[in-house]
Amino acid sequence: MFYYQNWFLASESVNYYAAEHSVASPLQHFWSLSIQGQIFILWPLIFALAAVLARLGRLRIRPLLILLFGTVFAVSLVFSIITTANNQAFAYFDTRTRLWEFALGSLLALVLPYLKFSRPTRIVLGWLGIAAMLSCGIVLQVDQQFPGYMALWPTLAAACVIVAGATDSNVGADRFLSWKPLVKLGDSSYALYLFHWPLLVTYLVVSGRAQAGPVAGLGIILASIAAAWLATRFIDAPLRRNKLMEQKRGRALAVVLVCATLVGVPLAGWQLQGHLQNQALLAQAAKNNPGAASLSPDFVDRADPGAPVLPTKTALPDDWPNFDGGNCKTDGKELLNLCNNGVEDGRKSIVDMGSSHAHVLNTPLLEMAKKNDWSITSLTKGYCPLGEDTSTGITDSCAEFNKATMAKVLTMKPDLVVTTITRTNVLWGVPEELDNSWVDAVQTLNSAGIEVVAVRDTPRIPQNVPECLAESPGDDVGCGAKKVDVFNDASPTEAVAASLPDTKFLDFTDYLCDDKNCPAIIGNVIVYKDDNHITRTYMESLTPVFQREFKAATGWNVK
């Protein structure tokens, strides 16, 4: 509605902590319309700037505009090439990487009157442009290579067709392009763009297929064309060509406001309903969604029959530790989460460090810190457990991050470091591991007088848990993992505990798995937000247990 969807998709595309979606949004294609909307605001400002400069400097307007749009073209293209090479998923939706494409069109409009090509040359340019357009999607991997310099292919192809213009030749491309059915199709092209994607996504959802075959694809195309023609004929054209609106700007503004209201009110109502539903469910969570509390020997089940599970589907993507009152610096590409709870001189200082599994531990730590006036600093990077030995499977980037983090923590000298110990690797068919490099890192901390609380790793599940539960509701076991595939009979920490006297080991396996299985739902709470990260909701239910074990291990006075 507010034309920023491209930026939303850009952030989601590189966010390691965002939920995975098996099916795209039926309105996901609006990202390009968002960029267009932003251009429709920026371009008039450039023209206004040119008008001011032309008047002040007594300059000719056309050369000045060529200079301005040429600058936009050059800067944006260079930025697009660099960003696409380094972070293509983000660059694809970035407005800045697309400015040059629009600037190319503006430059073409400005220089077109001066381009004098012969008819044979324009005939060749016309057909070359059409051939390049049609072959673009077949030859190029658009989702992997765009925008960057590869986007010159379709944009220059369009430029060739425009430069070719009307050749009035029987063999010119314009003879084909001026064919009446194609002209009619062009009249509805905007609406065709709006309708084709929702129809395709809806078909894939209803049919349960990954892609549309030739017959279904043809049906979707025909249905899209029909819907586009109807929308253009009876909605778009009457609104745009309404003489009553043209007479007074107030009437045009009123129509815009009515259209925005027709979208905004239902959307806001839906979001409000979802929020109120979440609040209502949370209010009953202690009774209906006990989570880890349901595993207590004295637990009495008082849940309402048919009570829904938590977190809800809408809340699940953001069900990570909440540093409310603190601040976080995140980097989706580098998988970084550098956070603190905003307490600078707490009674105790704790550093949470390691991989994203260590990041999950912040939920109970933050709750305890709030009650006890502790300072929490979290320095985590996805796939990066402690250690600097790349032979253990960590990347060079992880080794460098761990080295820098270790140096920082040794300088900070916190009262305690909390991290994970082992690595569960069910996805790769290897047993739970404890790397010697991890032991070396913890010994470094202990030697510096820093105590460590190390938590045994949580399960990795063979499939995405929320997606599995969506396909097989209630299949708590089938959407989880077998315990024998995740954990060793004995924790690997037993072999190293004696060599680390200033390190205390915590193991919450019994609150994640029974004798045979590690279920996807415990106490009516979804345990995993993907295939390996524990939800904040479940960690909140585990917090009393975590606090009890933490207090026993550290001897701290914990409220």
Side-chain angles (χ1 to χ4, degrees):
M1 183 173 179
F2 296 105
Y3 287 87
Y4 79 100
Q5 191 195 34
N6 63 303
W7 291 112
F8 172 80
L9 292 177
S11 64
E12 289 290 291
S13 68
V14 296
N15 189 355
Y16 171 74
Y17 301 99
E20 296 180 4
H21 303 288
S22 59
V23 178
S25 162
L27 301 180
Q28 185 166 300
H29 64 318
F30 275 35
W31 71 268
S32 68
L33 305 182
S34 295
I35 292 180
Q36 289 181 44
Q38 295 159 31
I39 295 296
F40 294 159
I41 295 174
L42 178 60
W43 253 227
L45 295 178
I46 294 178
F47 277 101
L49 174 63
V52 172
L53 293 177
R55 176 172 295 183
L56 293 177
R58 297 182 179 180
L59 304 172
R60 294 174 59 196
I61 190 68
R62 189 184 295 267
L64 181 58
L65 285 171
I66 291 175
L67 176 62
L68 290 176
F69 284 112
T71 302
V72 173
F73 174 86
V75 173
S76 174
L77 178 58
V78 171
F79 178 80
S80 181
I81 293 172
I82 295 173
T83 307
T84 300
N86 295 323
N87 193 356
Q88 188 272 337
F90 190 97
Y92 192 90
F93 301 107
D94 191 336
T95 303
R96 297 166 298 177
T97 64
R98 301 284 185 169
L99 290 176
W100 68 265
E101 301 176 23
F102 293 87
L104 176 61
S106 299
L107 288 171
L108 182 60
L110 289 166
V111 302
L112 197 58
Y114 305 103
L115 299 180
K116 306 296 184 181
F117 294 108
S118 65
R119 178 186 289 183
T121 300
R122 289 190 290 122
I123 291 173
V124 172
L125 283 175
W127 286 114
L128 178 64
I130 290 178
M133 280 190 199
L134 295 177
S135 63
C136 178
I138 299 174
V139 176
L140 303 181
Q141 294 293 328
V142 176
D143 60 333
Q144 300 174 13
Q145 299 172 323
F146 269 51
Y149 65 90
M150 282 294 182
L152 284 166
W153 185 316
T155 51
L156 290 178
C160 286
V161 174
I162 294 172
V163 171
T167 65
D168 295 324
S169 171
N170 290 331
V171 295
D174 53 303
R175 184 176 179 84
F176 167 68
L177 293 175
S178 60
W179 184 36
K180 193 171 182 179
L182 285 184
V183 174
K184 289 292 184 182
L185 183 63
D187 291 340
S188 304
S189 60
Y190 186 83
L192 181 59
Y193 182 82
L194 295 182
F195 278 104
H196 83 283
W197 183 257
L199 289 175
L200 172 61
V201 171
T202 301
Y203 167 78
L204 295 178
V205 172
V206 172
S207 66
R209 297 182 180 180
Q211 61 184 18
V215 176
L218 179 60
I220 292 170
I221 291 172
L222 294 176
S224 300
I225 292 174
W229 180 84
L230 289 171
T232 301
R233 174 69 177 81
F234 296 105
I235 300 175
D236 183 54
L239 281 175
R240 286 191 297 107
R241 299 170 183 172
N242 190 295
K243 293 183 178 180
L244 290 177
M245 287 200 314
E246 293 176 355
Q247 291 173 357
K248 293 185 178 181
R249 294 180 180 179
R251 294 173 182 172
L253 179 61
V255 172
V256 172
L257 292 177
V258 168
C259 291
T261 301
L262 290 175
V263 174
V265 171
L267 177 62
W270 176 79
Q271 291 179 330
L272 177 62
Q273 182 185 18
H275 174 73
L276 294 177
Q277 182 185 30
N278 285 338
Q279 293 299 109
L281 292 175
L282 290 173
Q284 300 295 320
K287 179 177 69 171
N288 293 331
N289 308 91
S294 66
L295 302 177
S296 172
D298 56 354
F299 174 75
V300 178
D301 188 0
R302 298 186 178 91
D304 296 328
V309 297
L310 289 179
T312 62
K313 185 179 293 186
T314 54
L316 196 58
D318 297 322
D319 212 42
W320 290 100
N322 184 6
F323 282 82
D324 186 27
N327 62 79
C328 279
K329 176 184 177 182
T330 61
D331 186 326
K333 180 184 177 185
E334 294 296 330
L335 315 183
L336 289 175
N337 260 329
L338 310 178
C339 306
N340 64 69
N341 67 340
V343 179
E344 295 185 1
D345 297 311
R347 295 179 180 178
K348 296 284 187 181
S349 59
I350 299 176
V351 171
D352 177 83
M353 59 189 297
S355 68
S356 57
H357 285 205
H359 178 69
V360 168
L361 300 176
N362 280 302
T363 293
L365 290 176
L366 288 167
E367 182 62 26
M368 290 190 295
K370 187 187 301 182
K371 296 178 180 178
N372 296 276
D373 190 28
W374 296 345
S375 300
I376 302 291
T377 301
S378 181
L379 310 170
T380 63
K381 179 177 171 66
Y383 300 109
C384 296
L386 294 191
E388 300 174 22
D389 185 358
T390 55
S391 67
T392 62
I394 66 171
T395 63
D396 291 335
S397 176
C398 279
E400 293 173 4
F401 171 80
N402 288 342
K403 184 177 180 179
T405 301
M406 179 62 74
K408 181 175 183 177
V409 173
L410 292 175
T411 301
M412 293 172 62
K413 294 187 179 298
D415 294 302
L416 185 73
V417 163
V418 176
T419 188
T420 52
I421 322 168
T422 56
R423 289 189 295 168
T424 55
N425 300 301
V426 65
L427 301 180
W428 296 279
V430 294
E432 180 184 16
E433 296 177 302
L434 194 159
D435 300 321
N436 290 330
S437 183
W438 181 91
V439 177
D440 295 339
V442 173
Q443 286 179 335
T444 299
L445 292 168
N446 288 166
S447 298
I450 301 173
E451 295 185 348
V452 175
V453 167
V455 181
R456 191 178 186 183
D457 199 11
T458 52
R460 292 183 185 270
I461 311 300
Q463 62 279 323
N464 184 290
V465 170
E467 291 179 5
C468 180
L469 291 173
E471 296 175 0
S472 305
D475 191 1
D476 305 355
V477 174
C479 291
K482 294 181 179 179
K483 185 177 181 180
V484 69
D485 294 334
V486 178
F487 293 110
N488 298 319
D489 292 336
S491 174
T493 58
E494 296 179 5
V496 300
S499 63
L500 300 169
D502 293 325
T503 297
K504 309 302 179 183
F505 299 93
L506 302 184
D507 186 349
F508 299 102
T509 303
D510 290 344
Y511 292 90
L512 298 168
C513 309
D514 56 29
D515 293 338
K516 296 182 179 179
N517 300 296
C518 304
I521 296 177
I522 297 176
N524 213 28
V525 172
I526 300 176
V527 183
Y528 308 93
K529 70 187 314 298
D530 41 37
D531 59 4
N532 66 102
H533 294 101
I534 307 296
T535 61
R536 182 181 72 226
T537 303
Y538 189 77
M539 289 301 296
E540 287 173 344
S541 74
L542 187 63
T543 294
V545 177
F546 189 99
Q547 178 175 317
R548 182 186 68 222
E549 298 297 323
F550 181 92
K551 181 178 181 180
T554 61
W556 289 8
N557 182 20
V558 182
K559 297 180 183 178

